Coordinates of all heavy atoms in Angstrom, one line a residue:
M1 N 0.9 -1.2 0.0 CA 0.0 0.0 -0.1 C 0.9 1.2 0.0 O 1.9 1.3 0.7 CB -0.9 -0.2 1.3 CG -2.0 1.1 1.3 SD -3.1 1.0 0.1 CE -4.5 0.5 0.8
G2 N 0.5 2.1 -0.8 CA 1.4 3.5 -0.9 C 0.8 4.5 -0.1 O -0.2 4.5 0.6
R3 N 1.6 5.6 0.1 CA 1.3 6.8 0.8 C 0.5 7.8 -0.1 O 0.0 8.7 0.4 CB 2.5 7.5 1.4 CG 3.3 6.5 2.2 CD 4.6 7.3 2.7 NE 5.2 7.8 1.6 CZ 6.3 8.6 1.7 NH1 7.0 8.6 2.9 NH2 6.8 9.2 0.6
K4 N 0.5 7.6 -1.4 CA -0.2 8.6 -2.3 C -1.7 8.1 -2.4 O -1.9 6.9 -2.7 CB 0.5 8.4 -3.6 CG -0.1 9.6 -4.5 CD 0.8 9.9 -5.8 CE 0.4 11.0 -6.5 NZ 1.3 11.2 -7.7
L5 N -2.6 8.9 -2.1 CA -4.0 8.7 -2.1 C -4.7 9.4 -3.3 O -4.4 10.5 -3.6 CB -4.6 9.2 -0.8 CG -4.0 8.5 0.4 CD1 -4.7 9.2 1.6 CD2 -4.2 7.0 0.5
Y6 N -5.7 8.8 -3.8 CA -6.6 9.4 -4.8 C -7.8 10.0 -4.1 O -8.3 9.2 -3.2 CB -7.1 8.3 -5.8 CG -8.3 8.7 -6.5 CD1 -8.2 9.5 -7.8 CD2 -9.6 8.3 -6.2 CE1 -9.2 9.9 -8.5 CE2 -10.6 8.8 -7.0 CZ -10.5 9.6 -8.2 OH -11.7 9.9 -8.9
V7 N -8.2 11.2 -4.2 CA -9.4 11.7 -3.6 C -10.3 12.2 -4.7 O -10.0 13.1 -5.6 CB -9.0 13.0 -2.8 CG1 -10.2 13.5 -2.0 CG2 -7.8 12.6 -1.8
G8 N -11.5 11.6 -4.7 CA -12.4 11.9 -5.7 C -13.8 12.4 -5.3 O -14.0 12.5 -4.1
N9 N -14.7 12.7 -6.3 CA -15.9 13.3 -6.0 C -15.7 14.8 -5.2 O -16.7 15.0 -4.4 CB -16.9 12.4 -5.2 CG -18.3 12.6 -5.5 OD1 -18.6 13.1 -6.5 ND2 -19.1 12.3 -4.4
L10 N -14.8 15.4 -5.6 CA -14.7 16.8 -4.9 C -15.4 17.8 -5.7 O -15.7 17.7 -6.9 CB -13.1 17.2 -5.2 CG -12.1 16.4 -4.4 CD1 -10.7 16.9 -4.9 CD2 -12.3 16.6 -2.8
P11 N -16.0 18.7 -4.9 CA -16.6 19.9 -5.5 C -15.6 20.7 -6.4 O -14.5 20.6 -6.0 CB -17.1 20.8 -4.3 CG -17.0 19.8 -3.2 CD -15.9 18.7 -3.4
Y12 N -16.1 21.3 -7.4 CA -15.2 21.9 -8.2 C -14.5 23.1 -7.7 O -13.6 23.6 -8.2 CB -15.9 22.3 -9.7 CG -16.3 21.1 -10.5 CD1 -17.5 20.8 -10.7 CD2 -15.4 20.2 -10.9 CE1 -18.1 19.7 -11.4 CE2 -15.7 19.0 -11.5 CZ -17.2 18.8 -11.9 OH -17.4 17.7 -12.6
T13 N -15.0 23.6 -6.6 CA -14.4 24.7 -5.9 C -13.5 24.5 -5.0 O -12.8 25.3 -4.3 CB -15.5 25.5 -5.2 OG1 -16.2 24.6 -4.1 CG2 -16.6 26.0 -6.1
T14 N -13.0 23.2 -4.8 CA -12.0 22.7 -3.8 C -10.6 23.1 -4.3 O -10.3 22.8 -5.5 CB -12.1 21.1 -3.7 OG1 -13.5 20.8 -3.1 CG2 -11.1 20.8 -2.5
G15 N -9.8 23.6 -3.5 CA -8.5 24.0 -3.7 C -7.5 23.1 -2.9 O -8.0 22.4 -1.9
E16 N -6.2 23.3 -3.2 CA -5.2 22.6 -2.5 C -5.3 22.9 -0.9 O -5.1 21.9 -0.2 CB -3.8 23.0 -2.9 CG -3.4 22.3 -4.3 CD -3.9 23.0 -5.6 OE1 -4.8 23.9 -5.4 OE2 -3.8 22.5 -6.7
Q17 N -5.4 24.1 -0.6 CA -5.5 24.4 0.8 C -6.6 23.8 1.6 O -6.4 23.3 2.8 CB -5.5 25.9 1.1 CG -5.2 26.3 2.5 CD -3.9 25.9 3.1 OE1 -2.9 26.2 2.4 NE2 -3.7 25.2 4.2
D18 N -7.7 23.6 1.0 CA -8.9 22.9 1.5 C -8.5 21.4 1.9 O -8.8 20.9 3.0 CB -10.1 22.9 0.6 CG -10.6 24.2 0.2 OD1 -10.6 25.1 1.1 OD2 -10.9 24.6 -0.9
L19 N -7.9 20.9 0.9 CA -7.4 19.4 1.2 C -6.3 19.3 2.1 O -6.2 18.3 3.0 CB -7.1 18.8 -0.2 CG -8.3 18.4 -1.1 CD1 -7.8 17.8 -2.3 CD2 -9.3 17.6 -0.4
Q20 N -5.4 20.3 2.1 CA -4.2 20.3 3.1 C -4.8 20.3 4.5 O -4.4 19.6 5.4 CB -3.4 21.4 2.8 CG -2.2 21.7 3.8 CD -1.1 20.7 3.5 OE1 -0.7 20.4 2.5 NE2 -0.5 20.2 4.6
D21 N -5.8 21.2 4.7 CA -6.5 21.4 6.1 C -7.2 20.1 6.5 O -7.1 19.7 7.6 CB -7.4 22.6 5.9 CG -6.7 23.9 5.9 OD1 -5.5 24.0 6.0 OD2 -7.4 24.9 5.5
L22 N -8.0 19.5 5.5 CA -8.8 18.4 5.9 C -7.7 17.1 6.3 O -8.0 16.5 7.2 CB -9.6 18.0 4.7 CG -10.5 16.7 4.9 CD1 -11.5 16.9 6.0 CD2 -11.3 16.4 3.5
F23 N -6.8 16.8 5.3 CA -6.0 15.7 5.5 C -5.0 15.9 6.7 O -4.6 15.0 7.3 CB -5.3 15.3 4.2 CG -6.2 14.6 3.4 CD1 -7.2 15.1 2.6 CD2 -6.1 13.1 3.3 CE1 -8.0 14.3 1.7 CE2 -7.0 12.4 2.3 CZ -7.9 13.0 1.6
G24 N -4.7 17.3 6.9 CA -3.7 17.6 8.0 C -4.5 17.3 9.4 O -3.6 17.0 10.3
Q25 N -5.7 17.1 9.4 CA -6.3 16.8 10.6 C -6.1 15.2 11.0 O -6.1 14.8 12.1 CB -7.8 17.0 10.6 CG -8.2 18.5 10.5 CD -9.8 18.7 10.2 OE1 -10.6 17.7 10.4 NE2 -10.2 19.8 9.9
I26 N -5.7 14.5 10.0 CA -5.5 13.1 10.2 C -4.1 12.8 10.3 O -3.8 11.9 11.3 CB -6.0 12.3 8.8 CG1 -7.5 12.7 8.5 CG2 -5.8 10.9 8.9 CD1 -8.5 12.3 9.5
G27 N -3.2 13.5 9.7 CA -1.8 13.2 9.9 C -1.0 14.1 9.0 O -1.5 15.1 8.5
A28 N 0.3 13.9 8.9 CA 1.2 14.8 8.1 C 1.0 14.6 6.7 O 1.1 13.5 6.1 CB 2.6 14.5 8.5
V29 N 0.8 15.7 5.9 CA 0.6 15.7 4.6 C 1.9 16.2 3.9 O 2.4 17.3 4.2 CB -0.6 16.7 4.2 CG1 -0.7 16.8 2.7 CG2 -1.8 16.3 4.8
E30 N 2.4 15.5 2.9 CA 3.5 15.9 2.2 C 3.3 16.7 0.9 O 4.0 17.8 0.6 CB 4.4 14.6 1.7 CG 5.2 14.1 2.9 CD 6.2 12.9 2.3 OE1 6.2 12.5 1.1 OE2 6.8 12.5 3.2
S31 N 2.2 16.4 0.2 CA 1.8 17.2 -1.0 C 0.4 16.9 -1.3 O -0.3 15.9 -1.0 CB 2.7 16.8 -2.3 OG 2.4 15.5 -2.6
V32 N -0.2 18.1 -2.0 CA -1.5 18.0 -2.5 C -1.6 18.5 -3.9 O -0.9 19.6 -4.2 CB -2.6 18.9 -1.6 CG1 -3.9 18.8 -2.2 CG2 -2.5 18.4 -0.2
N33 N -2.2 17.7 -4.8 CA -2.2 18.1 -6.2 C -3.7 18.0 -6.7 O -4.1 16.9 -7.0 CB -1.2 17.4 -6.9 CG -1.1 17.9 -8.4 OD1 -1.6 18.9 -8.8 ND2 -0.5 17.0 -9.2
V34 N -4.5 19.2 -6.7 CA -5.7 19.1 -7.3 C -5.6 19.2 -8.8 O -5.0 20.1 -9.5 CB -6.5 20.3 -6.8 CG1 -7.9 20.4 -7.5 CG2 -6.8 20.3 -5.3
M35 N -6.2 18.2 -9.5 CA -6.1 18.1 -10.9 C -7.0 19.2 -11.6 O -8.1 19.3 -11.2 CB -6.4 16.7 -11.5 CG -5.7 15.6 -10.7 SD -3.9 15.9 -10.9 CE -3.5 15.8 -12.5
R36 N -6.5 19.9 -12.5 CA -7.3 21.0 -13.2 C -7.3 20.9 -14.7 O -6.4 20.3 -15.4 CB -6.5 22.4 -12.8 CG -6.5 22.7 -11.4 CD -6.2 24.0 -11.0 NE -6.1 24.1 -9.5 CZ -7.2 24.4 -8.8 NH1 -8.3 24.6 -9.3 NH2 -7.1 24.6 -7.5
D37 N -8.4 21.4 -15.2 CA -8.5 21.4 -16.7 C -7.5 22.3 -17.3 O -7.3 23.5 -16.8 CB -9.9 22.0 -17.1 CG -10.2 21.9 -18.5 OD1 -10.6 20.9 -19.1 OD2 -9.8 23.0 -19.2
M38 N -6.8 21.9 -18.4 CA -5.7 22.8 -18.7 C -6.2 24.0 -19.6 O -5.6 25.0 -19.5 CB -4.8 21.9 -19.9 CG -4.0 20.8 -19.2 SD -3.1 19.8 -20.3 CE -1.8 20.9 -20.9
A39 N -7.4 24.0 -20.1 CA -7.9 25.1 -21.0 C -8.5 26.2 -19.9 O -8.3 27.3 -20.2 CB -8.8 24.6 -21.9
T40 N -9.3 25.7 -18.9 CA -9.9 26.7 -18.1 C -9.3 27.0 -16.7 O -9.7 27.9 -16.1 CB -11.5 26.2 -17.9 OG1 -11.4 25.0 -17.1 CG2 -12.2 26.0 -19.2
G41 N -8.5 26.0 -16.3 CA -7.9 26.1 -15.0 C -8.9 25.6 -13.8 O -8.5 25.7 -12.7
R42 N -10.1 25.2 -14.2 CA -11.0 24.7 -13.2 C -10.7 23.4 -12.7 O -10.1 22.4 -13.5 CB -12.4 24.7 -13.9 CG -13.6 24.4 -12.9 CD -14.9 24.5 -13.7 NE -15.6 23.3 -13.4 CZ -16.7 22.8 -13.8 NH1 -17.3 23.6 -14.9 NH2 -17.3 21.8 -13.6
A43 N -10.9 23.2 -11.4 CA -10.7 21.8 -10.9 C -11.6 20.8 -11.7 O -12.7 21.0 -12.1 CB -11.0 21.8 -9.3
R44 N -11.0 19.5 -11.6 CA -11.7 18.5 -12.5 C -12.4 17.5 -11.5 O -13.0 16.5 -12.0 CB -10.6 17.7 -13.2 CG -10.0 18.5 -14.4 CD -9.0 17.8 -15.1 NE -9.6 16.5 -15.8 CZ -8.8 15.6 -16.1 NH1 -7.5 15.6 -16.2 NH2 -9.3 14.5 -16.7
G45 N -12.4 17.8 -10.3 CA -13.3 16.9 -9.4 C -12.5 15.9 -8.6 O -13.1 15.0 -7.9
F46 N -11.1 15.8 -8.8 CA -10.3 14.8 -8.1 C -8.8 15.4 -7.8 O -8.5 16.4 -8.4 CB -10.2 13.5 -8.8 CG -9.4 13.5 -10.2 CD1 -8.1 13.0 -10.2 CD2 -10.1 13.9 -11.4 CE1 -7.3 13.0 -11.4 CE2 -9.4 14.0 -12.5 CZ -8.1 13.5 -12.5
A47 N -8.2 14.7 -7.0 CA -6.9 15.3 -6.4 C -6.1 14.1 -6.0 O -6.5 13.0 -5.8 CB -7.1 16.3 -5.4
F48 N -4.9 14.3 -5.8 CA -3.9 13.4 -5.3 C -3.3 13.9 -4.0 O -2.7 15.1 -4.1 CB -2.8 12.9 -6.2 CG -3.3 12.1 -7.4 CD1 -3.5 12.7 -8.6 CD2 -3.6 10.8 -7.2 CE1 -4.2 12.1 -9.6 CE2 -4.1 10.1 -8.3 CZ -4.5 10.7 -9.6
V49 N -3.2 13.2 -2.8 CA -2.7 13.8 -1.7 C -1.7 12.6 -1.2 O -2.0 11.4 -1.2 CB -3.8 13.9 -0.5 CG1 -3.2 14.2 0.8 CG2 -4.9 14.7 -1.0
E50 N -0.5 13.1 -0.9 CA 0.6 12.2 -0.4 C 0.8 12.5 1.0 O 1.1 13.5 1.5 CB 1.9 12.4 -1.1 CG 2.9 11.4 -0.8 CD 4.2 11.4 -1.8 OE1 4.1 12.3 -2.8 OE2 5.0 10.5 -1.6
M51 N 0.5 11.4 1.9 CA 0.7 11.5 3.2 C 2.1 11.1 3.6 O 3.0 10.5 2.8 CB -0.2 10.6 4.0 CG -1.7 10.7 3.6 SD -2.3 12.3 4.1 CE -2.4 12.1 6.0
A52 N 2.6 11.5 4.8 CA 4.0 11.4 5.1 C 4.3 10.0 5.5 O 5.5 9.5 5.5 CB 4.3 12.3 6.4
S53 N 3.3 9.1 6.0 CA 3.6 7.7 6.4 C 2.4 6.9 5.9 O 1.3 7.3 5.8 CB 3.7 7.6 7.9 OG 2.5 7.8 8.5
E54 N 2.8 5.6 5.9 CA 1.8 4.5 5.6 C 0.7 4.5 6.5 O -0.5 4.5 6.2 CB 2.5 3.3 5.5 CG 1.7 2.1 5.2 CD 1.2 2.1 3.7 OE1 2.0 2.6 2.8 OE2 0.2 1.5 3.4
A55 N 1.0 4.7 7.7 CA 0.0 4.7 8.8 C -1.1 5.9 8.7 O -2.2 5.7 8.8 CB 0.6 4.7 10.1
D56 N -0.4 7.1 8.4 CA -1.2 8.2 8.1 C -2.3 8.0 6.9 O -3.3 8.4 6.9 CB -0.5 9.4 7.9 CG 0.2 10.0 9.1 OD1 -0.3 9.6 10.2 OD2 1.1 10.9 9.2
A57 N -1.7 7.3 5.8 CA -2.5 7.1 4.6 C -3.6 6.2 4.9 O -4.8 6.4 4.5 CB -1.6 6.5 3.5
Q58 N -3.4 5.1 5.8 CA -4.4 4.2 6.0 C -5.6 4.8 6.9 O -6.6 4.5 6.7 CB -3.7 2.9 6.9 CG -3.0 2.0 6.0 CD -3.7 1.4 4.9 OE1 -4.8 1.0 5.0 NE2 -3.1 1.5 3.7
K59 N -5.1 5.6 7.8 CA -6.0 6.3 8.8 C -6.8 7.3 8.0 O -8.1 7.4 8.2 CB -5.1 7.2 9.9 CG -6.1 7.6 11.0 CD -5.3 8.4 12.0 CE -6.1 9.1 13.0 NZ -5.3 9.7 14.1
A60 N -6.2 8.0 6.9 CA -7.0 8.9 6.0 C -8.0 8.1 5.2 O -9.2 8.7 5.1 CB -6.0 9.7 5.2
I61 N -7.8 7.1 4.7 CA -8.6 6.2 4.0 C -9.9 5.8 5.0 O -11.0 6.0 4.6 CB -8.0 5.1 3.3 CG1 -7.1 5.5 2.3 CG2 -9.1 4.0 2.8 CD1 -6.2 4.3 1.7
A62 N -9.5 5.3 6.0 CA -10.4 4.9 7.1 C -11.4 6.0 7.5 O -12.7 5.7 7.7 CB -9.9 4.1 8.3
E63 N -10.9 7.1 7.7 CA -11.6 8.2 8.4 C -12.4 9.1 7.3 O -13.3 9.7 7.6 CB -10.9 9.1 9.3 CG -10.5 8.3 10.5 CD -9.7 9.2 11.5 OE1 -10.0 10.4 11.5 OE2 -9.0 8.6 12.4
L64 N -11.8 9.2 6.1 CA -12.3 10.2 5.2 C -13.1 9.5 4.0 O -13.9 10.2 3.3 CB -11.2 11.0 4.6 CG -10.5 12.0 5.6 CD1 -9.3 12.7 5.0 CD2 -11.6 12.7 6.3
H65 N -13.0 8.3 3.7 CA -13.7 7.7 2.6 C -15.2 7.7 2.9 O -15.6 7.3 3.9 CB -13.2 6.3 2.3 CG -13.9 5.6 1.2 ND1 -13.7 6.0 -0.1 CD2 -14.9 4.6 1.2 CE1 -14.5 5.3 -0.8 NE2 -15.3 4.4 0.0
D66 N -15.9 8.2 2.0 CA -17.3 8.4 2.0 C -17.8 9.4 3.1 O -18.9 9.4 3.5 CB -18.0 6.9 2.3 CG -19.4 6.8 1.7 OD1 -19.6 7.6 0.7 OD2 -20.2 6.2 2.2
R67 N -17.1 10.1 3.5 CA -17.4 11.2 4.4 C -17.9 12.6 3.6 O -17.2 12.9 2.6 CB -16.1 11.7 5.2 CG -16.3 12.8 6.1 CD -15.0 13.2 7.0 NE -15.2 14.6 7.6 CZ -14.2 15.1 8.2 NH1 -13.1 14.5 8.3 NH2 -14.5 16.3 8.7
P68 N -19.0 13.1 4.1 CA -19.4 14.3 3.4 C -18.4 15.6 3.6 O -17.7 15.7 4.5 CB -20.6 14.7 4.3 CG -21.0 13.5 5.0 CD -19.8 12.9 5.2
F69 N -18.2 16.2 2.4 CA -17.3 17.3 2.3 C -17.8 18.4 1.3 O -17.9 18.0 0.2 CB -15.8 16.8 1.8 CG -14.9 17.9 1.8 CD1 -14.3 18.5 2.7 CD2 -14.4 18.4 0.5 CE1 -13.4 19.5 2.6 CE2 -13.5 19.3 0.3 CZ -12.9 20.0 1.4
N70 N -18.2 19.5 1.8 CA -18.8 20.5 1.0 C -19.9 20.0 0.1 O -20.0 20.4 -1.1 CB -17.8 21.3 0.2 CG -16.8 22.1 1.0 OD1 -17.1 22.4 2.2 ND2 -15.6 22.3 0.5
G71 N -20.8 19.2 0.7 CA -22.0 18.7 0.1 C -21.8 17.5 -0.8 O -22.8 17.0 -1.5
R72 N -20.7 16.8 -0.8 CA -20.4 15.7 -1.5 C -19.8 14.7 -0.8 O -18.8 15.0 0.1 CB -19.6 15.9 -2.8 CG -20.3 17.0 -3.8 CD -19.4 17.2 -5.0 NE -19.9 16.3 -6.0 CZ -19.5 16.4 -7.1 NH1 -18.6 17.2 -7.5 NH2 -19.9 15.6 -8.0
N73 N -20.0 13.4 -1.0 CA -19.2 12.3 -0.2 C -17.9 12.0 -0.8 O -17.9 11.6 -2.1 CB -20.0 11.0 -0.1 CG -21.2 11.3 0.8 OD1 -21.3 12.2 1.5 ND2 -22.0 10.2 0.9
L74 N -16.9 12.1 -0.2 CA -15.5 12.0 -0.7 C -15.2 10.5 -1.0 O -15.8 9.5 -0.5 CB -14.4 12.4 0.2 CG -14.3 13.8 0.5 CD1 -13.1 14.0 1.5 CD2 -14.0 14.6 -0.8
T75 N -14.6 10.2 -2.1 CA -13.9 8.9 -2.3 C -12.4 9.0 -2.1 O -11.7 9.9 -2.7 CB -14.1 8.5 -3.9 OG1 -15.5 8.5 -4.1 CG2 -13.5 7.1 -4.2
V76 N -11.9 8.1 -1.2 CA -10.6 8.2 -0.7 C -10.0 6.8 -0.9 O -10.4 5.9 0.0 CB -10.3 8.8 0.7 CG1 -8.7 8.9 0.9 CG2 -10.9 10.2 0.7
N77 N -9.1 6.5 -1.7 CA -8.4 5.3 -1.7 C -7.0 5.4 -2.2 O -6.4 6.4 -2.6 CB -9.2 4.3 -2.5 CG -9.6 4.8 -3.9 OD1 -8.7 5.3 -4.5 ND2 -10.7 4.4 -4.3
E78 N -6.1 4.2 -2.3 CA -4.9 4.3 -2.6 C -4.8 4.7 -4.1 O -5.6 4.2 -4.9 CB -4.3 2.9 -2.5 CG -2.8 2.9 -3.0 CD -2.3 1.4 -2.8 OE1 -2.9 0.5 -2.4 OE2 -1.0 1.3 -3.2
A79 N -4.0 5.6 -4.6 CA -3.7 5.9 -5.9 C -3.1 4.7 -6.6 O -2.1 4.1 -6.1 CB -2.9 7.1 -6.1
R80 N -3.6 4.5 -7.8 CA -3.0 3.4 -8.6 C -2.0 4.0 -9.6 O -2.2 5.1 -10.1 CB -4.2 2.7 -9.3 CG -5.0 1.9 -8.6 CD -6.1 1.1 -9.4 NE -7.4 1.2 -8.7 CZ -8.4 1.7 -9.2 NH1 -8.5 1.9 -10.4 NH2 -9.5 1.7 -8.5
P81 N -1.0 3.1 -10.1 CA -0.1 3.7 -10.9 C -0.8 4.1 -12.4 O -1.8 3.4 -12.6 CB 1.0 2.5 -11.2 CG 0.7 1.6 -10.1 CD -0.7 1.9 -9.6
R82 N -0.3 5.0 -13.0 CA -0.8 5.5 -14.2 C -0.5 4.4 -15.3 O 0.5 3.9 -15.4 CB -0.2 6.7 -14.7 CG -0.7 7.5 -15.8 CD 0.0 8.8 -16.1 NE -0.8 9.6 -16.9 CZ -0.7 10.9 -17.1 NH1 0.4 11.4 -16.6 NH2 -1.4 11.6 -18.0
P83 N -1.7 4.0 -16.0 CA -1.5 3.1 -17.1 C -0.5 3.4 -18.2 O -0.5 4.5 -18.5 CB -2.9 2.7 -17.6 CG -3.6 3.8 -17.3 CD -3.0 4.5 -16.1
E84 N 0.2 2.5 -18.8 CA 1.1 2.8 -19.9 C 0.2 3.2 -21.1 O -0.8 2.7 -21.4 CB 1.9 1.5 -20.3 CG 3.0 1.2 -19.3 CD 4.1 2.1 -19.3 OE1 4.5 2.7 -20.4 OE2 4.6 2.4 -18.2
R85 N 0.8 4.2 -21.8 CA 0.1 4.7 -23.0 C 0.8 4.3 -24.2 O 2.0 4.3 -24.2 CB -0.1 6.2 -23.0 CG -1.0 6.8 -21.9 CD -1.2 8.1 -22.0 NE -2.0 8.7 -21.0 CZ -2.6 9.8 -21.0 NH1 -2.4 10.7 -22.0 NH2 -3.4 10.3 -20.1
S86 N 0.2 4.0 -25.3 CA 0.8 3.8 -26.5 C 1.3 5.0 -27.1 O 0.7 6.1 -27.0 CB -0.2 2.9 -27.5 OG -1.2 3.8 -27.8
G87 N 2.4 5.0 -27.9 CA 2.9 6.2 -28.6 C 2.4 6.7 -29.8 O 2.7 7.6 -30.4
G88 N 1.3 6.0 -30.2 CA 0.8 6.2 -31.6 C -0.1 7.3 -31.5 O -0.6 7.9 -30.6
F89 N -0.4 8.0 -32.9 CA -1.4 8.9 -33.0 C -2.6 8.5 -33.7 O -2.5 7.5 -34.3 CB -0.7 10.1 -33.7 CG 0.4 10.8 -33.1 CD1 1.7 10.5 -33.4 CD2 0.1 11.7 -32.2 CE1 2.8 11.1 -32.9 CE2 1.2 12.3 -31.5 CZ 2.6 12.1 -31.8
G90 N -3.5 9.2 -33.6 CA -4.8 8.8 -34.4 C -5.9 8.1 -33.8 O -6.9 8.4 -33.5
G91 N -5.8 6.9 -33.3 CA -6.7 6.1 -32.7 C -7.0 5.0 -33.5 O -8.1 4.2 -33.3
G92 N -6.1 4.6 -34.4 CA -6.3 3.4 -35.3 C -5.8 2.2 -34.6 O -5.9 1.1 -35.2
G93 N -5.3 2.5 -33.5 CA -4.9 1.2 -32.5 C -3.6 0.6 -33.2 O -3.4 -0.7 -32.8
G94 N -2.9 1.2 -34.0 CA -1.7 0.5 -34.6 C -1.9 -0.4 -35.7 O -1.0 -0.9 -36.4
R95 N -3.1 -0.4 -36.2 CA -3.4 -1.4 -37.2 C -3.3 -0.6 -38.8 O -3.5 0.5 -38.7 CB -4.8 -2.0 -37.2 CG -6.0 -0.9 -37.3 CD -7.4 -1.7 -37.0 NE -8.4 -0.7 -37.3 CZ -8.9 -0.1 -36.3 NH1 -8.6 -0.3 -35.1 NH2 -10.0 0.9 -36.5
R96 N -2.8 -1.3 -39.6 CA -2.6 -0.8 -40.9 C -4.0 -0.9 -41.8 O -4.8 -2.0 -41.5 CB -1.6 -1.6 -41.7 CG -0.2 -1.1 -41.2 CD 0.8 -1.7 -42.2 NE 0.6 -1.1 -43.4 CZ 1.7 -0.6 -44.1 NH1 2.9 -0.5 -43.5 NH2 1.6 0.1 -45.2
R97 N -4.3 0.0 -42.4 CA -5.6 0.0 -43.3 C -5.2 0.0 -44.8 O -4.2 0.5 -45.2 CB -6.3 1.1 -43.0 CG -7.0 1.2 -41.7 CD -7.8 2.5 -41.5 NE -8.4 2.4 -40.2 CZ -9.7 2.6 -40.0 NH1 -10.5 2.8 -41.0 NH2 -10.2 2.6 -38.8
E98 N -6.0 -0.8 -45.4 CA -5.8 -0.7 -47.0 C -6.1 0.5 -47.5 O -7.2 1.1 -47.1 CB -6.6 -2.0 -47.5 CG -6.1 -3.2 -47.1 CD -4.8 -3.6 -47.8 OE1 -4.5 -3.3 -48.9 OE2 -3.9 -4.1 -47.0
P99 N -5.5 1.1 -48.4 CA -5.9 2.3 -49.1 C -7.2 2.2 -49.8 O -7.5 1.1 -50.4 CB -4.6 2.7 -49.9 CG -3.9 1.4 -50.2 CD -4.2 0.6 -49.1
R100 N -7.9 3.2 -49.9 CA -9.2 3.3 -50.6 C -8.9 4.0 -52.0 O -9.0 5.2 -52.1 CB -10.3 4.0 -49.7 CG -10.6 3.2 -48.5 CD -11.8 3.9 -47.9 NE -12.0 3.3 -46.5 CZ -13.1 3.4 -45.9 NH1 -14.1 4.2 -46.4 NH2 -13.3 2.7 -44.8
W101 N -8.6 3.3 -53.0 CA -8.4 3.7 -54.2 C -9.7 3.9 -55.1 O -10.5 3.4 -55.3 CB -7.3 2.8 -55.0 CG -6.1 2.8 -54.3 CD1 -5.8 1.7 -53.5 CD2 -5.0 3.6 -54.2 NE1 -4.5 1.8 -52.9 CE2 -4.0 3.0 -53.3 CE3 -4.8 4.9 -54.7 CZ2 -2.8 3.6 -53.0 CZ3 -3.4 5.5 -54.4 CH2 -2.6 4.8 -53.5

């Protein structure tokens, strides 16, 4: 189990300091990263919080998962590694197509 947590179902008005304060009540927080839309800068409704210890991360999951926060119930669980992405462009899935002559 890792110390990095996924926090979902956040209100779009939630900022880093809001989560720093909330998770800081549970244990030591190393970093908070609210994911934002690149075009508008608006929060996307989820974030990643890294706790200082494994014990703090477990305690945060136990105490904050499904807890109401600004009108929404939080989802808090261990962050999963980002899946590998293929390097291709287009969306053809790497398959060759016959030309249409």
Side-chain angles (χ1 to χ4, degrees):
M1 183 65 108
R3 299 178 316 179
K4 191 170 189 177
L5 303 175
Y6 165 84
V7 184
N9 202 32
L10 291 171
Y12 295 120
T13 57
T14 302
E16 281 82 0
Q17 191 60 51
D18 299 322
L19 292 177
Q20 177 76 39
D21 295 344
L22 179 65
F23 281 80
Q25 296 171 12
I26 305 298
V29 177
E30 287 190 353
S31 66
V32 176
N33 188 8
V34 174
M35 305 311 291
R36 299 189 179 279
D37 182 89
M38 291 177 67
T40 64
R42 183 177 130 187
R44 294 179 57 198
F46 70 98
F48 294 98
V49 176
E50 188 168 2
M51 302 300 287
S53 72
E54 181 71 29
D56 287 345
Q58 289 299 317
K59 187 176 178 186
I61 292 170
E63 292 189 23
L64 297 177
H65 179 71
D66 210 29
R67 174 180 167 185
F69 178 72
N70 291 340
R72 301 181 96 173
N73 288 351
L74 295 178
T75 299
V76 181
N77 52 40
E78 179 184 3
R80 291 185 222 126
R82 190 175 196 167
E84 288 290 322
R85 293 185 178 195
S86 64
F89 295 99
R95 63 183 184 265
R96 286 187 70 124
R97 294 182 177 230
E98 294 294 320
R100 294 184 183 198
W101 304 97

